[in-house]
Amino acid sequence: MLEQETITAIADELAAAEKARETIPLLTARYPDMTVEDSYAVQNEWRRRGIEAGRRPVGRKIGLTSKVMQAATGITEPDYGAIFADMVFENGSVIEHGRFSNVRIEVELAFVLRDSLAGPDVTVFDVLRATEYVVPALEILSSRIEMAGRTIVDTISDNAAMGGMVYGGNPVAVDAVDLRWVSALLYRNETIEESGVAAAVLNHPANGVAWLANKLAQHGDKLDPGDIVLAGSFTRPMWVHPGDTVTADYRDLGAITCRFV
């Protein structure tokens, strides 16, 4: 494990990069012995500071749960990050592009929990029982660490590249639709760029939530009632630029739209 002062120094760098809307050099190039546990320690320090500063935690995001996302990033295992209330946007929002770095969009399902989920040994059935409803969501990726050559250690330290999320469409109960077959068409400026089916997330998007609950247990944490969980993308990330309008059509589950300025 890295020394605590090194973890604190990395968290300082990332906080400064987020404030300045810049990127920092790869952590793995500077700390070649840095481990996944070190990177979660950095993320946890970032999250702790946010809570201390008055930011309200509302859930977690799961990343790299689908083959298409693993192929797009070259990273082969899932990760997770934190979501604060000020990172959540309503359907139809106009969003400041410059608030983020290396801005990309992913298509996901968000699980909103009625009950807590505490690992180990959480299963997909536990997740379905604990979920109040599922709603379409877009994740806004923002990388505060340079992207070329990143490993999962860099990504986790950077709060799993979480920038924000947009929710919309029709909330549904888990037994109202076969969640594996939820599909979406992703448009940028009225041109379709990506499409996907939710089964790409570990064969069932609820499996992503189960993975998260069990991973959190390894870090002495759990999911709480009311938490929002972004279950993982089932499309490749799509780059967006100032002036772009993004629309995701989930058919029966409705649509999400947002515009970047």
Side-chain angles (χ1 to χ4, degrees):
M1 292 285 290
L2 294 178
E3 297 290 335
Q4 182 58 45
E5 62 183 29
T6 304
I7 289 170
T8 300
I10 294 171
D12 288 340
E13 273 194 83
L14 287 166
E18 184 175 28
K19 185 176 181 179
R21 299 169 179 178
E22 297 175 346
T23 57
I24 64 173
L26 290 173
L27 298 176
T28 43
R30 293 180 287 153
Y31 306 99
D33 296 328
M34 191 173 180
T35 66
V36 166
E37 292 307 307
D38 288 327
S39 61
Y40 277 120
V42 170
Q43 183 190 125
N44 194 53
E45 172 64 13
W46 175 86
R47 182 172 182 265
R48 184 194 67 77
R49 292 181 187 189
I51 294 171
E52 191 175 74
R55 298 179 77 182
R56 181 169 62 88
V58 295
R60 307 277 185 163
K61 61 94 30 126
I62 313 166
L64 308 174
T65 51
S66 64
K67 294 293 185 183
V68 67
M69 279 304 302
Q70 292 177 359
T73 60
I75 298 170
T76 57
E77 60 179 305
D79 63 4
Y80 69 80
I83 307 173
F84 287 115
D86 58 13
M87 301 163 78
V88 181
F89 298 90
E90 294 182 356
N91 198 1
S93 290
V94 177
I95 301 169
E96 181 189 0
H97 186 275
R99 172 176 171 173
F100 309 105
S101 302
N102 299 297
V103 189
R104 290 143 292 148
I105 287 284
E106 294 179 344
V107 171
E108 313 207 7
L109 289 175
F111 286 67
V112 179
L113 299 183
R114 178 182 57 247
D115 305 317
S116 64
L117 283 170
D121 304 322
V122 170
T123 68
V124 64
F125 306 109
D126 297 321
V127 172
L128 296 176
R129 279 192 295 267
T131 299
E132 184 172 4
Y133 59 86
V134 176
V135 64
L138 299 176
E139 181 179 354
I140 305 168
L141 294 179
S142 179
S143 296
R144 278 81 37 169
I145 297 175
E146 63 184 34
M147 296 183 63
R150 284 182 310 166
T151 72
I152 194 167
V153 169
D154 297 289
T155 304
I156 292 169
S157 300
D158 192 23
N159 195 36
M162 175 68 182
M165 62 170 285
V166 186
Y167 68 91
N170 304 321
V172 294
V174 294
D175 59 354
V177 62
D178 186 344
L179 294 176
R180 298 173 307 147
W181 284 101
V182 172
S183 60
L185 309 175
L186 181 62
Y187 295 81
R188 180 178 56 218
N189 302 327
E190 301 179 354
T191 299
I192 187 166
E193 298 285 350
E194 297 288 342
S195 62
V197 178
V201 178
L202 300 174
N203 196 47
H204 192 296
N207 278 324
V209 184
W211 173 88
L212 174 63
N214 293 326
K215 190 69 174 180
L216 285 172
Q218 297 176 20
H219 300 146
D221 207 346
K222 62 181 176 64
L223 294 168
D224 294 318
D227 274 355
I228 303 166
V229 181
L230 285 175
S233 180
F234 47 95
T235 65
R236 293 179 300 177
M238 179 184 77
W239 287 88
V240 291
H241 310 283
D244 283 347
T245 296
V246 174
T247 302
D249 181 357
Y250 287 74
R251 195 180 174 183
D252 294 342
L253 268 65
I256 306 172
T257 187
C258 59
R259 182 164 60 90
F260 289 85
V261 296

